[in-house]
Amino acid sequence: MSTNTELSAVFSRIADILDIQGENTFRIRAYRNAAQIIAGLSEPVSDLICKADEKGEKIPGIGKGLHDKIIEFCKTGKIKEYEELRASIPTGLIEMLDIQSFGPKRVKLVYNKLGIDSVEKLEKAAAEGKIRVLDGMGEKSEEKLLRSIRDFRTLQTDRKPWEEADKILKPFLVYLRKIKEIDKLEPAGSYRRKKSTVGDLDILATISGDPIPVIDAFVKYPEVEEILAQGSTKASVILKQKIQADLRVVEPESFGAALQYFTGSKQHNIGLRKIAMEKGLKLSEYGVFRGAEKIAGENEEGVYSALGLKWPPPEERE
DNA sequence: GCCGTTTTCGGCCCGACTGTTTTCAGTCG
């Protein structure tokens, strides 16, 4: 594992633990933000930090505090604050965070209310109907949790090599193109950016007419193992090949903006939104807006052009 | 914790979906 990957994971974990401890949300966001930035860097973070230091520059989103922690990690292989944070809560709480749709808030809830500090205890409590009585939880949440714990144990949640994702996605696209309501269909996400590994499959579609039959056909793809969510504009499933696939249905006039948005990277998008704001514009997955007026969105080139930028190939959007 | 400026502190991306509750919080991307 590269230093960038390790450090990104450490910052994510710090954010999780701070979240469980009820820390300031923006401090937490800063750590999550930094984790994203570092994960998206194309060269070792230590090199970049050194170069930036020499030039008296800095990496946006990395201030003095995080800068020092990165240096500490590169020199010693660990971060003292992280070690202390880990020691401050049971290790089982951190493990629970890897359960789908079970985040820091819920981890905190079951720990505080029921003293649950491991996946095993969580599973037992759910099986005994003890989770449904907690605030904000119910019968469905409990059933979903049990399924998620099962997935957590069996599902290969690791990212897949791009080539393997390609082999899974191609026949899925062929299947989807046969649905008559679908006009345009494009894969997005890290697959489109041709990252060496792909975490999940993002598919974008424009349709004519009713979206319901399209969403329906998507979740009924024979390779679907489990349906995670099914709405009128988006659906998420887990395929038998143990990878998540998301379909989003968008209006034709927003296709370019949506394709841009869902191609990412997240860090690239945050950067674009800032540029938009500086120009008095608003960028979303629906388009580029000046006030209430939409000035771009139908295609990607138009979106970048409206922001005064040249269209970058997806693989350069880190 | 970062950032910009208004320099000493206040604002920080945002929408879909779910399950819960009845207007919202949590999770995810």
Side-chain angles (χ1 to χ4, degrees):
Chain A
M1 201 189 286
S2 73
T3 302
N4 285 6
T5 314
E6 279 179 46
L7 188 56
S8 172
V10 167
F11 280 172
S12 283
R13 280 303 183 223
I14 290 177
D16 288 335
I17 298 172
L18 292 174
D19 210 347
I20 290 172
Q21 295 180 333
E23 254 285 352
N24 176 296
T25 55
F26 295 107
R27 185 174 170 221
I28 295 165
R29 188 183 290 177
Y31 275 103
R32 294 204 195 288
N33 192 33
Q36 288 278 344
I37 292 169
I38 292 162
L41 294 175
S42 50
E43 45 184 315
V45 64
S46 50
D47 292 1
L48 279 175
I49 287 276
C50 289
K51 278 186 201 167
D53 274 352
E54 282 170 13
K55 294 179 189 168
E57 294 170 351
K58 56 189 299 305
I59 302 173
I62 309 287
K64 181 168 188 327
L66 292 174
H67 172 278
D68 290 350
K69 289 190 173 66
I70 293 171
I71 300 288
E72 182 188 355
F73 186 79
C74 291
K75 280 185 181 164
T76 68
K78 53 187 180 183
I79 292 174
K80 187 156 168 282
E81 189 193 350
Y82 177 51
E83 305 291 321
E84 290 169 357
L85 280 171
R86 281 181 67 94
S88 70
I89 64 168
T91 50
L93 299 192
I94 294 169
E95 198 185 16
M96 278 192 262
L97 290 164
D98 287 331
I99 298 169
Q100 172 92 241
S101 73
F102 208 76
K105 299 287 194 298
R106 301 225 205 280
V107 167
K108 185 182 177 186
L109 180 71
V110 297
Y111 179 58
N112 286 344
K113 296 288 181 185
L114 302 173
I116 290 171
D117 59 6
S118 70
V119 175
E120 288 70 30
K121 287 181 189 170
L122 183 63
E123 185 170 32
K124 184 162 180 286
E128 291 171 351
K130 290 178 180 166
I131 300 298
R132 66 181 71 181
V133 300
L134 297 174
D135 282 347
M137 303 296 286
E139 212 166 319
K140 280 191 179 176
S141 311
E142 199 174 65
E143 286 166 13
K144 189 173 182 180
L145 175 59
L146 281 168
R147 283 200 303 277
S148 298
I149 291 174
R150 207 178 54 229
D151 289 344
F152 165 82
R153 293 228 167 81
T154 59
L155 202 63
Q156 185 73 22
T157 51
D158 288 343
R159 300 172 66 88
K160 296 201 181 297
W162 189 91
E163 291 73 17
E164 193 182 336
D166 188 49
K167 276 186 193 149
I168 297 168
L169 181 60
K170 285 266 171 65
F172 199 178
L173 293 178
V174 169
Y175 165 87
L176 290 171
R177 285 190 214 284
K178 287 180 189 154
I179 301 167
K180 66 178 188 326
E181 286 90 351
I182 289 183
D183 292 330
K184 281 187 206 162
L185 194 68
E186 282 293 335
S190 51
Y191 174 84
R192 183 165 180 246
R193 298 204 312 280
K194 294 216 165 57
K195 289 278 286 181
S196 58
T197 62
V198 175
D200 50 24
L201 306 172
D202 287 312
I203 306 168
L204 213 58
T206 63
I207 58 161
S208 46
D210 190 4
I212 302 300
V214 175
I215 297 282
D216 230 39
F218 176 79
V219 301
K220 286 186 177 141
Y221 180 53
E223 297 299 313
V224 166
E225 183 169 88
E226 188 183 345
I227 301 168
L228 296 175
Q230 181 178 7
S232 60
T233 63
K234 99 170 241 203
S236 298
V237 297
I238 291 176
L239 299 178
K240 290 173 186 164
Q241 296 91 339
K242 307 301 179 195
I243 187 166
Q244 182 170 331
D246 299 327
L247 175 71
R248 292 159 207 279
V249 175
V250 301
E251 298 293 329
E253 57 266 31
S254 299
F255 184 73
L259 185 60
Q260 188 288 308
Y261 181 81
F262 291 113
T263 295
S265 67
K266 186 167 178 172
Q267 214 45 52
H268 179 77
N269 290 352
I270 291 172
L272 285 191
R273 279 181 193 230
K274 281 185 182 157
I275 290 172
M277 274 163 55
E278 283 162 16
K279 292 181 183 292
L281 304 170
K282 181 174 174 286
L283 170 67
S284 73
E285 58 265 50
Y286 298 107
V288 183
F289 296 84
R290 179 178 287 120
E293 184 201 2
K294 182 162 165 175
I295 59 171
E298 197 171 343
N299 56 64
E300 263 196 336
E301 289 80 357
V303 170
Y304 282 99
S305 163
L307 300 177
L309 301 169
K310 214 178 86 190
W311 179 86
E315 49 269 50
E316 288 173 15
R317 302 182 195 174
E318 298 299 335

